[in-house]
Amino acid sequence: MEALALLQGSTEGLRYVGIGVAAGTAVIGPGAGMGYLIGQTIASIHRQPEAFDQTRTLMFLGIGLVEAFALYGLVFALLIAFVL
């Protein structure tokens, strides 16, 4: 009985590690992607200022897609925390 209780405690700890890994990677990846996206947009506007409106529109579309990946990762972390 004691071994079973010890095993249950260790799986609970691993669950918390999984939550941390899922939430951390869900935030780090899109954060780096968004920084790269905005940097490239600024460089593009600097090279060709007359295309500012089109470039800005595409940048906001890209930011929305990158942000969606971050939200999916956080939802997955919450699923691990409360459902699984």
Side-chain angles (χ1 to χ4, degrees):
M1 284 297 208
E2 241 178 83
L4 184 60
L6 182 62
L7 182 63
Q8 181 66 26
S10 68
T11 58
E12 186 70 21
L14 290 176
R15 181 172 161 215
Y16 290 133
V17 169
I19 295 167
V21 168
T25 56
V27 174
I28 289 173
M34 198 174 300
Y36 181 76
L37 173 72
I38 292 171
Q40 291 299 312
T41 302
I42 290 171
S44 173
I45 291 171
H46 179 72
R47 282 191 310 267
Q48 195 172 11
E50 63 271 4
F52 174 75
D53 290 330
Q54 183 181 9
T55 306
R56 184 185 58 191
T57 303
L58 289 173
M59 180 190 71
F60 284 127
L61 179 65
I63 286 174
L65 292 173
V66 169
E67 195 68 31
F69 286 128
L71 290 175
Y72 289 148
L74 291 177
V75 166
F76 184 68
L78 290 173
L79 282 174
I80 293 172
F82 297 115
V83 177
L84 300 179

